Amino acid sequence: MRIQESKNFEIRNDISKSQVTKKKKTKSINMERTKFDFLYQMIWITPALAFLFIFSYYSIFIVFRNGFNSASRPILNFEFSFINFKNVANDASFQIALRNSLLYSVVVIPISLTFSMTTAKLLSNVLNKKLFSFLQSLFFLPYVTSAMAISMSFAFIFSPDNYGLINQILLALGFDKVDWTSKSNGIILVMIYGVWRSLPFEIIMFTATFLRIDKRYYHAAAVDGVPKWKQFWKISIPRAMPMIVYMITTGIISSFKVFPLGLFGSYEGAAQANAQTVVFYIFDKVNASSTSPSYGKGGAASIILMTIILAITIVNKFITNHLSKKYR
């Protein structure tokens, strides 16, 4: 009996040892696979990381180096200073550019939101699927068109000469032609272009937002005799509020990134019409063919622009979180 029990104990001991050995082998194999998977994944993402570091992070480093550098030879030497920021702040051209970007935000964003929400609401009520797809593609097509081509088309349409399409229409109606590149109308031309350019994306986004709203809200409101316009303000707008805040935020960011190069042949042409923007100002300072190039001013203006956009993004985060809780 004792002999049999000792044999059984030895057998169980051997089995447990073999199980432990198998677990160790399995664990080592899994660790090797994990290491191999990590190396395999790194091989795939290394080109993307290289492009990211070269064209993004290194570019950011160059911008900060130029912005805070006051050396006489900025490419070879570095002297930390805030003089470039002072020069940019005192530059009358930058002040006009910043004013135009702010004015662009105040005017273009409300107008584009009004048109896009109205169009999106009408588009979301279209029941015919083929007609809906056609209209959706029609509104979205300008968004995928080259921005430079659209700008050049606008420059031709709003040409101050008699052959400009808008001036031809005005002359045919008995009105005088308008100089769209004058100091009083240059920024208006940029804003008209901005409204038209921002509509396609906003219409698509608001259409998707309105389609996600539960139809039972509208049915209940219709039963209670609530008119359509009131349903829009009481049902559609509150439930689309997070998207509205998002569009306002992205609109403000886009306003500070407007680059009307196609509307005007050069920065000097935009400056003559008082239609320069912050990005156009930066482009002029880092462009070797510019009449007054300055990498220091370009870097300082870029940092100022980045700070403004960063502040807007932070404010948007708090507003979006608040509205998400309120209209959950």
Side-chain angles (χ1 to χ4, degrees), residues 161-164 166-177:
D161 299 323
N162 292 334
Y163 61 81
I166 298 298
N167 280 337
Q168 287 182 7
I169 295 174
L170 292 175
L171 292 173
L173 296 175
F175 297 99
D176 295 330
K177 67 177 183 178

Side-chain angles (χ1 to χ4, degrees), residues 47-300:
L49 290 175
F51 276 101
L52 186 65
F53 277 99
I54 294 173
F55 295 104
S56 293
Y57 296 114
Y58 182 69
S59 301
I60 294 172
F61 167 75
I62 292 297
V63 168
F64 274 84
R65 187 181 187 278
N66 290 332
F68 291 98
N69 189 6
S70 62
S72 58
R73 296 186 298 175
I75 297 178
L76 301 176
N77 303 323
F78 178 79
E79 295 178 8
F80 183 83
S81 175
F82 291 97
I83 189 64
N84 290 322
F85 294 90
K86 182 180 179 180
N87 293 335
V88 168
N90 295 329
D91 192 341
S93 183
F94 178 79
Q95 295 173 3
I96 296 174
L98 186 60
R99 182 204 65 186
N100 288 340
S101 296
L102 291 171
L103 183 63
Y104 184 97
S105 302
V106 173
V107 175
V108 170
I109 294 174
I111 294 175
S112 62
L113 284 178
T114 302
F115 276 105
S116 60
M117 283 194 293
T118 304
T119 306
K121 185 59 181 175
L122 296 174
L123 186 61
S124 64
N125 292 331
V126 176
L127 299 179
N128 190 299
K129 292 184 178 180
K130 291 184 178 180
L131 180 60
F132 175 80
S133 300
F134 172 75
L135 293 175
Q136 192 177 36
S137 302
L138 184 66
F139 285 118
F140 193 70
L141 184 61
Y143 184 73
V144 297
T145 307
S146 171
M148 184 59 68
I150 295 175
S151 299
M152 295 176 67
S153 299
F154 263 77
F156 173 77
I157 293 172
F158 288 90
S159 174
D161 299 323
N162 292 334
Y163 61 81
L165 180 60
I166 298 298
N167 280 337
Q168 287 182 7
I169 295 174
L170 292 175
L171 292 173
L173 296 175
F175 297 99
D176 295 330
K177 67 177 183 178
V178 178
D179 186 2
W180 296 100
T181 59
S182 64
K183 289 187 176 181
S184 58
N185 296 325
I187 189 61
I188 296 177
L189 173 60
V190 176
M191 289 190 291
I192 293 173
Y193 167 77
V195 171
W196 189 89
R197 182 64 181 169
S198 61
L199 284 179
F201 179 72
E202 292 181 357
I203 289 173
I204 295 299
M205 296 300 291
F206 279 119
T207 301
T209 301
F210 291 144
L211 289 174
R212 287 200 301 267
I213 298 176
D214 194 342
K215 301 298 182 183
R216 289 177 293 182
Y217 292 111
Y218 298 105
H219 295 327
V223 171
D224 292 337
V226 180
K228 292 287 186 181
W229 66 269
K230 205 168 186 178
Q231 293 180 23
F232 179 75
W233 285 104
K234 297 294 184 179
I235 299 174
S236 301
I237 295 298
R239 280 156 183 79
M241 190 58 67
M243 180 57 68
I244 294 173
V245 174
Y246 171 76
M247 285 298 172
I248 292 175
T249 306
T250 55
I252 295 173
I253 294 173
S254 300
S255 299
F256 284 94
K257 294 167 62 178
V258 172
F259 185 46
L261 178 60
L263 296 177
F264 303 92
S266 63
Y267 180 80
E268 287 72 22
Q272 289 177 2
N274 280 345
Q276 66 266 41
T277 60
V278 176
V279 175
F280 213 165
Y281 176 87
I282 296 171
F283 170 79
D284 178 66
K285 295 305 174 185
V286 300
N287 188 6
S289 62
S290 172
T291 57
S292 58
S294 173
Y295 288 103
K297 282 188 174 182

